[in-house]
Amino acid sequence: MSKIKEVFGLFRQYFEFSGADNWEIGFRCGAFFAISTILFLVVLIFLIRLLFFRRRQIRQMEMESEKGRYVISVAAIADLLAAKVSEFSEINLLKTKIFPARNKKCKIVMYINYIPVEDGENLQDLIASIQNESIDALADVFGITAVESVTICVTRAKAKK
């Protein structure tokens, strides 16, 4: 907190107008205006980026068939992935998110809790097998082959007591 007070003190001292010549007042007003403009533009760019360029989750996927289209909800995909992940005793699936990717593909993000066991396989092999089985299950059940990546985020790793 004292560093912030120091910065504000220096700022106030630099932009204090009492006892200054006309050219100093003009210079300080210009510098203050320039700094204010730059800060305003940075905040504006941040807000525009936050509102318009953030990743939004997909709510449903539209697929092509021979005679038309069909729609698959993300809840159905999440349930299928939860059933596949439940086959692994070391993994507890928390949530699944699906994001759009380029070329009409999707990215799947799965958040898991990892509970290591003594006889289980290591985490890298386990994650690789979960990713492969998830992609295979989506292709077999729903016909979804447009999966760009399956990202697995391990949120907690805790051994059983």
Side-chain angles (χ1 to χ4, degrees), residues 2-143:
S2 64
K3 291 283 186 187
I4 295 173
K5 287 183 181 180
E6 280 182 39
V7 169
F8 280 130
L10 289 173
F11 190 75
R12 188 178 333 131
Q13 179 184 358
Y14 181 74
F15 290 109
E16 188 174 2
F17 297 121
S18 63
D21 295 336
N22 283 341
W23 70 270
E24 282 184 308
I25 291 174
F27 176 77
R28 289 181 181 175
C29 285
F32 180 74
F33 182 74
I35 291 172
S36 300
T37 303
I38 290 171
L39 288 176
F40 174 75
L41 289 175
V42 167
V43 168
L44 185 67
I45 289 170
F46 177 73
L47 287 176
I48 288 172
R49 185 171 180 249
L50 181 69
L51 292 176
F52 296 112
F53 296 106
R54 65 182 173 151
R55 293 189 327 170
R56 295 184 183 175
Q57 292 183 35
I58 297 174
R59 295 179 190 227
Q60 58 190 10
M61 291 187 69
E62 196 170 291
M63 304 297 292
E64 295 282 338
S65 67
E66 292 177 14
K67 297 186 179 186
R69 295 178 169 209
Y70 61 97
V71 177
I72 303 169
S73 72
V74 172
I77 295 171
D79 291 342
L80 175 68
L81 294 176
K84 279 295 174 187
V85 169
S86 68
E87 295 173 1
F88 299 95
S89 62
E90 299 97 354
I91 300 296
N92 182 16
L93 181 66
L94 299 176
K95 61 184 168 181
T96 303
K97 293 182 179 183
I98 301 176
F99 297 101
R102 294 181 182 163
N103 300 328
K104 294 189 177 186
K105 292 188 175 189
C106 66
K107 292 181 181 179
I108 298 174
V109 180
M110 297 168 55
Y111 296 91
I112 63 169
N113 282 345
Y114 174 61
I115 305 166
V117 294
E118 293 177 10
D119 298 340
E121 55 186 318
N122 66 0
L123 185 62
Q124 288 86 9
D125 295 337
L126 190 64
I127 286 176
S129 61
I130 289 173
Q131 289 170 334
N132 291 335
E133 286 194 24
S134 298
I135 291 173
D136 293 341
L138 288 173
D140 291 342
V141 175
F142 295 125

